[in-house]
């Protein structure tokens, strides 16, 4: 096992054992010991370690670690005491161990470049969402008066019928003599603005 990974495993090992007050390497299958192993495996898996590495550290089969990770979320939702000890383990682990301090210069540079890429992606997504929100707001405010009339005048239970009537009316508006009236109205509005 890589030295940095081993340091991280040991730090989490200590945090989990303190929170659960058990030895995770014990051969016993008591609930608290199993819960501690589940916590250990799940936190490391979330950190990006593979299940085989975690299993080797725990002296368990990798299928056992798969089982731990698969069931952890359910235990967190249903077992309040387990959730408290899980969070305590995580908190102590993050307080006592930050992998940044264990990284060499090259690994730190890779981490920084990786974070920059992620930040660029997030910023692009944010700008796209911002633009979509503005467009949606503008579209919505343009139709506010029409929506207000529809909401006030449409009786409950008649929404489908009104929608069909509006579709029929719109089909007629844009295919008959109304088209010229709409075009003239549009041109007048453009001149006003």
């Amino acid at each position: 096992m890589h030295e940095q990974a081993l340091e991280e495993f040991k730090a989490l090992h200590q945090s989990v054992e303190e929170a659960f007050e058990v030895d995770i390497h014990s051969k016993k299958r008591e609930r608290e010991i199993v819960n501690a192993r589940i916590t250990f495996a799940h936190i490391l898996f979330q950190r990006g370690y593979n299940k085989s590495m975690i299993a080797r550290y725990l002296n368990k089969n990798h299928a056992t670690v798969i089982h731990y990770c698969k069931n952890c979320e359910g235990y967190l939702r249903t077992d309040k005491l387990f959730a408290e000890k899980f969070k305590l383990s995580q908190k102590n682990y993050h307080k006592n161990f930050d992998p940044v301090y264990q990284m060499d210069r090259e690994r730190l540079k890779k981490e920084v470049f990786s974070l920059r890429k992620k930040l660029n992606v997030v910023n692009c997504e944010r700008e796209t969402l911002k633009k979509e929100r503005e467009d949606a707001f503008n579209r919505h405010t343009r139709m506010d008066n029409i929506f207000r009339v529809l909401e006030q005048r449409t009786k409950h239970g008649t929404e489908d019928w009104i929608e069909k009537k509006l579709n029929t009316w719109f089909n007629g508006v844009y295919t008959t003599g109304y088209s010229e009236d709409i075009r003239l109205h549009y041109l007048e509005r453009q001149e006003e603005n």
Side-chain angles (χ1 to χ4, degrees):
M1 183 180 291
H2 190 275
E3 189 176 321
Q4 177 186 334
L6 186 59
E7 290 298 317
E8 189 166 357
F9 277 48
K10 286 179 180 177
L12 180 59
H13 181 156
Q14 181 180 351
S15 297
V16 169
E17 285 189 345
E18 286 175 10
F20 284 87
E21 299 176 354
V22 295
D23 174 13
I24 64 172
H25 285 296
S26 170
K27 298 289 183 193
K28 296 178 183 174
R29 296 172 64 182
E30 295 171 4
R31 183 79 255 163
E32 279 301 294
I33 297 170
V34 173
N35 284 348
R37 288 187 205 125
I38 290 171
T39 299
F40 180 83
H42 192 70
I43 291 172
L44 286 175
F45 183 67
Q46 286 179 323
R47 289 272 305 125
Y49 289 101
N50 69 48
K51 292 172 182 162
S52 295
M53 271 178 96
I54 299 166
R56 274 193 303 275
Y57 185 84
L58 289 173
N59 296 321
K60 296 289 179 192
N61 183 311
H62 84 282
T64 303
V65 174
I66 291 171
H67 178 74
Y68 289 166
C69 293
K70 187 174 94 174
N71 291 308
C72 186
E73 293 298 327
Y75 294 147
L76 286 169
R77 284 191 305 272
T78 58
D79 187 337
K80 187 177 178 180
L81 184 60
F82 173 74
E84 288 172 9
K85 290 183 178 185
F86 181 93
K87 289 175 186 167
L88 179 62
S89 298
Q90 230 174 8
K91 180 182 163 193
N92 290 339
Y93 165 65
H94 289 301
K95 185 173 71 175
N96 296 328
F97 181 81
D98 190 334
V100 171
Y101 295 115
Q102 307 297 320
M103 293 179 187
D104 62 7
R105 184 180 180 94
E106 284 305 308
R107 180 74 177 108
L108 280 171
K109 282 173 32 179
K110 284 180 185 177
E111 187 76 16
V112 167
F113 292 136
S114 171
L115 290 172
R116 282 183 184 169
K117 282 182 185 177
K118 288 177 185 175
L119 184 60
N120 285 337
V121 168
V122 168
N123 282 334
C124 288
E125 289 173 352
R126 188 190 72 192
E127 289 302 317
T128 301
L129 289 171
K130 197 170 157 183
K131 177 78 172 116
E132 287 173 0
R133 187 186 74 206
E134 288 172 8
D135 291 346
F137 180 75
N138 290 337
R139 277 193 312 272
H140 181 68
T141 56
R142 179 177 78 89
M143 304 295 282
D144 273 351
N145 291 336
I146 294 170
F147 288 140
R148 199 173 301 112
V149 168
L150 283 172
E151 190 174 38
Q152 290 170 354
R153 304 283 306 271
T154 302
K155 294 179 182 174
H156 289 284
T158 63
E159 293 84 1
D160 291 338
W161 183 73
I162 294 292
E163 181 183 357
K164 288 176 186 172
K165 290 287 189 181
L166 284 172
N167 277 327
T168 303
W169 181 78
F170 271 110
N171 289 339
V173 166
Y174 291 113
T175 58
T176 62
Y178 293 121
S179 298
E180 186 60 27
D181 293 341
I182 291 170
R183 191 179 70 73
L184 290 173
H185 178 74
Y186 178 74
L187 291 173
E188 289 172 6
R189 296 279 297 197
Q190 292 295 340
E191 288 175 7
E192 290 174 9
N193 293 331

